[in-house]
Amino acid sequence: MTDLLEVRDLRTWFHTDRGIVKSVEGISFSLRRGEIMGLVGESGSGKSITGFSLIGLIDRPGRIEAGSSIRFGGRELVGLDERELRGIRGKDISMVFQDPMMTLNPVLKIIDQIGMAIRAHEQVSDAEIRRRAVEALDRVRIVEPERKVDQYPHEFSGGMRQRVAIAIALLHRPRLVIADEPTTALDVSVQAEILKVVKSLVAEMGTSLIWISHDLATVSSIADKITVMRRGEIVEAGPVRKVLDAPRHPYTQALLDALPSRSQPGELLASGATEAAGRLDPSKLSGTAVGAPADPQFIQIRHIDKLFQRPAGLLRRLGMQLGLASEPARVHAVKSASLSIARGEILGLVGESGSGKSTLGRILCGIIAPSAGTVSVGGEPVMQGERKRGTKVQMIFQDPFASLDPRRTIFQSVAEGPIVHGLCTKAEARAYVERWLRAVAFDPALANRYPHQFSGGQRQRIAIARALAMQPEVIVCDEPVASLDVSIQAQVINLLMELRRHLNLTLLFISHDLSVVHHLCDRVVVMRHGEIVETGSASEIFHAPKQPYTRMLLDAIPRLAS
Amino acid sequence: MASFIIRRLAQALVVLLVMSVLVFAGVYVIGNPVDVLISPDATQAIRQQVIEQYGLDLPVWQQYLQFLQRLLTGDLGRSFVFNMPVGTLIAQKLPATLELTLIAVFFASGIGIPLGVYAGYRPDSKTSRLIMAASILGFSVPTFWIGLMLIMVFAVQLGILPAGGRGATRELIGVPFSFLTLDGWSHLILPALNLSLFKMSMICRLAASGTREVMLTDTIKFARAAGIPERTILRRHVLKLISIPLVTVFGLELGSTLAFALVTETIFSWPGLGKLIVDSITSLDRPVMVAYLMLVSALFVVINLCVDLAYALLDPRLRHGKN
């Protein structure tokens, strides 16, 4: 008996009012003691539901169907009652989730949360809880654990919170840990640290690990074997090397091809989703930038500073005079940033969270006013006082779910701006909007639907059409592919490249994903703590970085082992 | 934290000042108390004398300034009708109302929160549906009708509880309270229940929707994945996470119950503030009205301050003043 976990014909179905959703449909796999399995798939593939099925946390109307079998350490888990399952959860099998901001309770101290997890399975004294909490934090390499146990989650950074979550998951030295996208919400450098910590802990404790992720690169850096899921079924399984080097299933091949890091920079990515969306139709598109002369200093950003500070109230100012109160806290988001972008260029702006890259993007777009410095596009300032001038600069945001008004149809969302700014009349709006929707390969017949009826990739294309309809010369893209699956991501990247070529657009592409930036951008600017630390062409930055910070970021990128 | 409290107290002063102007002006336009105070057949000389005695011949702003001046020295004026200091008058009636409302509000939370958490935890069970339906009834049926029904059933039909009054009281720090005697409780229970029904339903629904929302978060999934028993999850995680909206409503309701326990007090002949204020309005007893309204605004300000402090206690993210 070498297998710790043996899953046979697992089927997890959700019995909803509108029919049965077969989230997991007859999958089988096994896991040996100490083995690490990467479970890969895109959203909706059933990979997370598989994880929840293993730990017995399927909520109604979902249930594990009869005939399924999950044998763990020789014991059948399917059909156990809630009390028995609770005895296993956290003790023998534990789980870590995606968003460390959400998993820890914000209103409880770390020590209380650890204490509850310990007391779930053991009777222990308060002193023992403290000793073990400190030990647990120390194990995940949190410095000063004696002090940190008495703090609240909001006093920790994202990466530290995820470490605390991992520490809680490992409290009872479980035999199996299920990690559901544990590093997706984190910066690359933090992700690299977490991967290192998890790898060494798992090896030290002899724990088996199932690492669920949409990111093949991360998975390949930690796992022994890979299982690829699609629409509730396993399409391919095998050792990491074999799956990556010689994928047998076309879906695995497609996933690999869609990765920007696997193709030549600047080339269109192979993407089934792009083909499925149909050809984009750039004909009949007018754009103010088409045919404009080259201008290496098209966008000029000069000595931009941005200070976020709440204005001091009357009482506070009085208190400050008397020396009783201090100035309101302030955040120096951007410090004396200067850069220029040539017409038709794609400039990548990279940095970790809190580096000020989004703030700089918003300043360029004229959404927020800088505290000092000027921004001009084509020689004209973007802002006049506190107000934005013109429609030359548009923006695309990270979350296509949040950036479209759920109560407006696609047509209404896209048409609003052009009508207000006189780019088309109300009567022409229908034809005008259709032209731009076609430009992003979106079927104009669907324009009367609402955003919730579309997938993430479709919504992001709508958001792009909305920006384009304003006939901008510059588009600021703030992490436009961060929340998308790889194949959809490839589709959006392809779209941006095509549009740039046809419409002579200038793009500022803000991203923390360096492989996407490498693929798409001509030049790259690296930001850290509000300052620009390095600027150079994409090949310079990626092949001969000068700054240690840039090098650190590059080293942290998980790569497909080759 | 200290600067926060100072700032809030400064704001409170401004609120009270504005309130005093509004109250004074409002009461002034209701009518002339002289018409009520003096019998119609009094001579003009007596009329004039009374008017001067109460300072009613002065311009409004002078009357206001006088009132403000007296207020600052703690003198709320004398009641026209009872001819005694308003402060004493209110102090006599306040404990009864305070007792009734506090017990009602604690009934409301003590019963409403557990029921709500249960209904939010098992939204599909029959009991939960019953709770939620009853809660709709609880805040749509008028208070006075439920009060009358309670008296009908428990006092008239069954005859196990008295229909009104305060019952036997016992003194605590020189003030009589009913809740210290068994007879007092038997008088207290019906009006307190009546007064709490609306609040109970509201708190129950609020707790239910909060619990439903919290139960779906990753925090709860993570706690379950760690094998923590459901009861601990509800007690330690859920209760703390839903507490902020509950405290808000608790504070608001405590204030409004204190101020407007009127209907219940009338039905159950509870000798509280409600009766006093109604009488003073009908007899245009200005000092009592003004003092009562000022007291209510001060209560609201104090309760809201306490609520804000409770937020900081409940949510560590607010305690540090930054997000």
Side-chain angles (χ1 to χ4, degrees), chain A residues 86 89-90 102-103 105 107 152, chain B residues 219 224-227 237 240-241 316:
Chain A
R86 191 187 74 68
R89 285 203 293 264
M102 310 292 289
T103 47
N105 188 335
V107 297
Y152 290 93
Chain B
T219 308
R224 281 181 169 162
H237 281 292
K240 266 206 117 169
L241 287 170

Side-chain angles (χ1 to χ4, degrees), chain A residues 226-283:
Chain A
I226 290 185
T227 302
V228 182
M229 279 187 77
R230 182 197 197 187
R231 295 190 199 137
E233 289 171 17
I234 291 177
V235 294
E236 179 147 9
V240 172
R241 288 259 50 84
K242 235 175 110 189
V243 173
L244 293 185
D245 295 344
R248 278 171 301 140
H249 196 280
Y251 181 69
T252 318
Q253 183 68 51
L255 277 184
L256 286 168
D257 289 344
L259 289 176
S261 57
R262 303 244 308 178
S263 61
Q264 282 299 313
E267 276 180 14
L268 290 186
L269 296 164
S271 154
T274 307
E275 285 148 34
R279 275 190 51 76
L280 52 98
D281 175 13
S283 63

Side-chain angles (χ1 to χ4, degrees), chain A residues 26 59 124 126 242 375 377 384 485 492 507 547:
Chain A
D59 285 326
V124 276
D126 285 350
K242 235 175 110 189
V375 181
V377 174
Q384 194 164 37
D485 279 330
V492 172
L507 298 183
Q547 294 294 325

Side-chain angles (χ1 to χ4, degrees), chain A residues 225-438:
Chain A
K225 64 179 190 183
I226 290 185
T227 302
V228 182
M229 279 187 77
R230 182 197 197 187
R231 295 190 199 137
E233 289 171 17
I234 291 177
V235 294
E236 179 147 9
V240 172
R241 288 259 50 84
K242 235 175 110 189
V243 173
L244 293 185
D245 295 344
R248 278 171 301 140
H249 196 280
Y251 181 69
T252 318
Q253 183 68 51
L255 277 184
L256 286 168
D257 289 344
L259 289 176
S261 57
R262 303 244 308 178
S263 61
Q264 282 299 313
E267 276 180 14
L268 290 186
L269 296 164
S271 154
T274 307
E275 285 148 34
R279 275 190 51 76
L280 52 98
D281 175 13
S283 63
K284 290 183 278 172
L285 292 182
S286 48
T288 34
V290 179
D295 179 359
Q297 300 280 313
F298 181 55
I299 297 175
Q300 294 192 27
I301 294 177
R302 293 278 166 267
H303 308 292
I304 289 290
D305 261 273
K306 181 66 197 177
L307 214 64
F308 288 105
Q309 184 175 29
R310 274 227 308 258
L314 187 72
L315 247 144
R316 182 140 210 166
R317 263 180 283 156
L318 192 75
M320 273 153 61
Q321 292 272 311
L322 297 171
L324 292 174
S326 55
E327 259 188 71
R330 54 190 197 179
V331 178
H332 206 154
V334 180
K335 295 174 194 155
S336 189
S338 296
L339 57 94
S340 50
I341 310 175
R343 191 187 270 280
E345 187 177 40
I346 302 185
L347 181 77
L349 184 54
V350 302
E352 298 186 277
S353 4
S355 62
K357 55 190 194 306
S358 286
T359 306
L360 189 58
R362 275 159 209 223
I363 290 172
L364 168 58
C365 193
I367 294 175
I368 47 178
S371 309
T374 56
V375 181
S376 65
V377 174
E380 287 176 42
V382 166
M383 305 274 287
Q384 194 164 37
E386 292 280 299
R387 284 177 59 98
K388 178 180 177 170
R389 287 180 47 177
T391 58
K392 269 199 260 179
V393 189
Q394 293 295 318
M395 191 147 181
I396 303 166
F397 297 90
Q398 168 173 355
D399 189 349
F401 290 78
S403 66
L404 290 170
D405 186 337
R407 284 182 189 79
R408 282 163 179 252
T409 64
I410 304 309
F411 168 74
Q412 286 169 333
S413 278
V414 177
E416 184 187 27
I419 293 175
V420 169
H421 286 276
L423 294 172
C424 69
T425 64
K426 264 192 182 153
E428 300 161 2
R430 186 65 56 177
Y432 184 83
V433 166
E434 284 185 5
R435 215 158 62 214
W436 291 105
L437 288 177
R438 260 190 227 110

Side-chain angles (χ1 to χ4, degrees), chain A residues 52 55 57 59 86 89-90 95 97 102-108 112 116-117 120-121 152 154 165 168 315, chain B residues 6-7 10 124 218-219 221-222 224-229 232 236-237 240-241 314-317 319-320 322:
Chain A
F52 283 120
I55 201 167
L57 276 180
D59 285 326
R86 191 187 74 68
R89 285 203 293 264
M95 194 154 177
F97 293 82
M102 310 292 289
T103 47
L104 297 176
N105 188 335
V107 297
L108 290 178
D112 292 331
M116 264 193 271
H121 300 289
Y152 290 93
H154 72 275
I168 291 176
L315 247 144
Chain B
I6 293 169
R7 201 162 58 233
D124 295 323
D218 278 358
T219 308
K221 270 195 203 141
F222 185 63
R224 281 181 169 162
I228 296 171
T232 314
R236 303 279 307 271
H237 281 292
K240 266 206 117 169
L241 287 170
L314 289 168
D315 193 335
R317 287 167 295 184
R319 212 172 303 162
H320 300 268
K322 298 164 207 118

Side-chain angles (χ1 to χ4, degrees), chain B residues 39-298:
Chain B
S39 62
D41 48 345
T43 64
Q44 191 58 31
I46 296 176
R47 245 182 109 83
Q48 205 54 43
Q49 191 202 330
V50 174
I51 289 176
E52 271 168 39
Q53 186 194 331
Y54 289 114
L56 296 170
D57 53 341
L58 300 171
V60 192
W61 62 272
Q62 271 188 9
Q63 287 187 38
Y64 173 70
L65 283 184
Q66 271 187 359
F67 156 73
L68 207 61
Q69 205 179 5
R70 282 204 307 269
L71 194 65
L72 289 179
T73 60
D75 178 10
L76 293 166
R78 282 182 86 82
S79 160
F80 296 157
V81 178
F82 296 91
N83 198 23
M84 59 192 290
V86 174
T88 325
L89 199 60
I90 288 182
Q92 278 177 3
K93 304 281 184 183
L94 187 63
T97 298
L98 211 59
E99 181 183 21
L100 180 63
T101 49
L102 279 179
I103 287 172
V105 171
F106 283 114
F107 265 6
S109 1
I111 301 171
I113 294 176
L115 286 183
V117 168
Y118 179 82
Y121 178 65
R122 295 204 182 287
D124 295 323
S125 81
K126 281 214 179 70
T127 321
S128 301
R129 284 177 196 195
L130 199 71
I131 293 173
M132 296 309 270
S135 72
I136 291 184
L137 217 62
F139 63 70
S140 39
V141 177
T143 312
F144 76 87
W145 186 82
I146 293 183
L148 292 177
M149 288 303 116
L150 285 174
I151 291 177
M152 272 282 281
V153 173
F154 290 98
V156 181
Q157 304 274 336
L158 301 176
I160 46 175
L161 289 171
R166 249 190 118 173
T169 56
R170 186 176 291 171
E171 294 215 343
L172 184 72
I173 40 168
V175 187
F177 283 108
S178 301
F179 75 96
L180 296 170
T181 66
L182 203 64
D183 182 51
W185 265 110
S186 75
H187 283 80
L188 199 54
I189 193 140
L190 283 187
L193 199 66
N194 183 219
L195 196 56
S196 74
L197 267 179
F198 179 86
K199 288 144 249 304
M200 196 188 291
S201 317
M202 191 142 90
I203 286 180
C204 170
R205 293 192 76 83
L206 206 65
S209 67
T211 305
R212 265 189 103 151
E213 215 168 279
V214 167
M215 286 313 290
L216 299 174
T217 58
D218 278 358
T219 308
I220 302 304
K221 270 195 203 141
F222 185 63
R224 281 181 169 162
I228 296 171
E230 295 292 294
R231 220 158 9 118
T232 314
I233 290 179
L234 285 176
R235 216 181 50 232
R236 303 279 307 271
H237 281 292
V238 175
L239 263 188
K240 266 206 117 169
L241 287 170
I242 63 170
S243 59
I244 284 204
L246 285 180
V247 167
T248 314
V249 170
F250 182 90
L252 284 176
E253 283 301 316
L254 183 61
S256 66
T257 318
L258 269 173
F260 316 113
L262 186 85
V263 176
T264 301
E265 284 186 3
T266 314
I267 293 173
F268 290 93
S269 343
W270 189 261
L273 273 178
K275 197 164 157 36
L276 178 68
I277 186 65
V278 170
D279 290 347
S280 72
I281 291 172
T282 49
S283 58
L284 287 179
D285 195 351
R286 270 193 203 169
V288 178
M289 278 192 270
V290 171
Y292 174 78
L293 289 172
M294 289 308 292
L295 177 76
V296 168
S297 351

Side-chain angles (χ1 to χ4, degrees), chain A residues 137-164:
Chain A
L137 292 195
D138 190 44
R139 193 183 300 147
V140 291
R141 317 216 180 112
I142 285 178
V143 287
E144 294 186 82
E146 293 86 356
R147 198 169 60 80
K148 295 277 165 61
V149 287
D150 287 316
Q151 294 186 339
Y152 290 93
H154 72 275
E155 297 171 77
F156 288 64
S157 68
M160 293 236 293
R161 281 189 228 193
Q162 195 60 298
R163 285 173 196 226
V164 172

